Amino acid sequence: MKLSRVHLVLLFTQVIFATLPIAVKVALRELSSPSLALLRVTGAALLFVALQATLVRERVRTRGDYLRLALYAVLGVVANQLLYITALTLTTATAAQMLQTAGPAITLLAAILLGKEGSSRGKWAGIALAGAGALYLVGLDLTGGSGVGNLLALLNVVCYSAYLVVSRDLVRRYHPLTVITWVFVFGVAGIAPWGLPGLLAERGAVSAGTWAALAWIVVLPTVLAYYLNVWALKRVESSVVSVYVYLQPVGTALLAGPVLGERLSPRLIPAAALIFAGVALTAWTGRVAKRRRARAEAQAPGASTELRSRASR
């Protein structure tokens, strides 16, 4: 497998992700945000069940793990989807997607606060930069729709980041596709009370164009993009995969103009600079800490030749 093929897949994946808020905006012209969230999660759950049964065929082993998956679904699917899609009814697609790039720094913050990862001055500085950029984009005035929408988009990132941290225990013990499948299955049950009443009222007024946008949302930026990310993570380091997230708001901005008629907010560029700088600093700090740990392990008595070789890279 050539490395260039992996990078092409990662580039294609970010293009798919960039189309998500555009397609959501199109679907929201005829659907309410809870209805759209329910349709997206239900469609994705069905496809994930089929993929998991075909490719992995792994069973959840205990009732306690089922309970954990149900609880994780509240953060990773129910709150995540309702906040994100509702945010897009109030703010621009580009702003919402820009805030997603703060995810790595917010995930690190959640891991530190929950005691899952150690802190350092470099990590705190990166978190502060990314947080400042996100808050600047949200704006201090929340009386307008866009400010509230940006805040909801930011809260969506916080919920998903917390989900990534607390679900690590299950991801270590199960295949990632098994975890995401059950999280989406439980997510359907969690979103149904919010989305089903509106969906029953709206189903007769949904056009073919909206159904096409919904199919795009489910198949491409939800299921296929997730699968391609997992595929890439098996072939390159996670830091390489995370770098590509910076391309998402760029792609969204290029599409949002001609498709939705959106204009870039004057806050977007300085906010993007702060977010990108913060995420880059946290990633760099993490790599430095990892190399130091590797060197310490290599210098320890009885260290293997393989460990010493890794530390020298």
Side-chain angles (χ1 to χ4, degrees):
M1 178 67 63
K2 292 183 178 179
L3 192 60
S4 59
R5 185 177 298 180
V6 179
H7 286 281
L8 285 174
V9 168
L10 284 170
L11 179 61
F12 177 65
T13 304
Q14 305 318 307
V15 172
I16 294 173
F17 273 129
T19 66
L20 174 59
I22 309 294
V24 169
K25 282 275 195 181
V26 171
L28 285 172
R29 292 170 181 170
E30 295 181 351
L31 290 169
S32 65
S33 53
S35 300
L36 178 54
L38 177 59
L39 287 170
R40 181 189 182 189
V41 172
T42 302
L46 292 172
L47 289 178
F48 279 131
V49 166
L51 284 172
Q52 199 275 344
T54 303
L55 301 176
V56 181
R57 299 180 182 178
E58 182 182 37
R59 293 184 178 181
V60 177
R61 293 182 283 273
T62 68
R63 291 182 180 179
D65 286 343
Y66 277 117
L67 178 59
R68 291 184 186 91
L69 287 163
L71 292 174
Y72 297 162
V74 174
L75 283 174
V77 174
V78 180
N80 169 257
Q81 293 299 315
L82 289 173
L83 286 168
Y84 179 72
I85 295 178
T86 303
L88 283 168
T89 65
L90 299 169
T91 190
T92 64
T94 305
Q97 202 67 5
M98 177 61 67
L99 287 165
Q100 306 306 305
T101 61
I106 296 175
T107 301
L108 176 59
L109 175 61
I112 292 172
L113 294 177
L114 293 172
K116 304 290 186 179
E117 190 164 333
S119 62
S120 68
R121 283 181 291 183
K123 289 179 180 179
W124 283 116
I127 291 168
L129 279 173
L135 291 175
Y136 178 72
L137 184 56
V138 168
L140 296 176
D141 183 11
L142 297 180
T143 58
S146 62
V148 174
N150 290 339
L151 180 60
L152 293 177
L154 181 59
L155 290 174
N156 142 72
V157 178
V158 171
C159 287
Y160 192 73
S161 297
Y163 156 74
L164 290 177
V165 174
V166 299
S167 65
R168 282 178 183 172
D169 63 323
L170 284 182
V171 173
R172 292 190 183 104
R173 292 189 284 116
Y174 292 98
H175 191 281
L177 190 54
T178 300
V179 175
I180 197 69
T181 296
W182 280 104
V183 165
F184 265 79
V185 168
F186 284 119
V188 173
I191 291 181
W194 302 85
L196 197 56
L199 184 60
L200 292 174
E202 297 161 2
R203 68 185 187 278
V206 179
S207 66
T210 298
W211 286 118
L214 178 64
W216 181 282
I217 291 166
V218 171
V219 175
L220 293 172
T222 305
V223 176
L224 180 60
Y226 168 81
Y227 181 80
L228 291 178
N229 256 349
V230 172
W231 180 90
L233 281 168
K234 292 181 178 179
R235 290 158 176 81
V236 294
E237 294 180 350
S238 58
S239 59
V240 175
V241 176
S242 65
V243 165
Y244 276 84
V245 75
Y246 295 132
L247 296 177
Q248 291 181 27
V250 177
T252 301
L254 292 175
L255 290 169
V259 177
L260 301 174
E262 289 186 359
R263 294 182 179 180
L264 293 180
S265 165
R267 290 177 174 267
L268 197 62
I269 293 177
L274 286 169
I275 292 172
F276 290 175
V279 173
L281 180 56
T282 56
W284 177 80
T285 304
R287 286 195 294 271
V288 170
K290 186 177 180 180
R291 287 172 189 161
R292 287 175 179 170
R293 285 195 301 270
R295 290 195 190 104
E297 291 172 359
Q299 292 170 2
S304 66
T305 304
E306 183 181 354
L307 277 176
R308 288 171 183 160
S309 175
R310 286 180 185 173
S312 65
R313 292 175 188 172

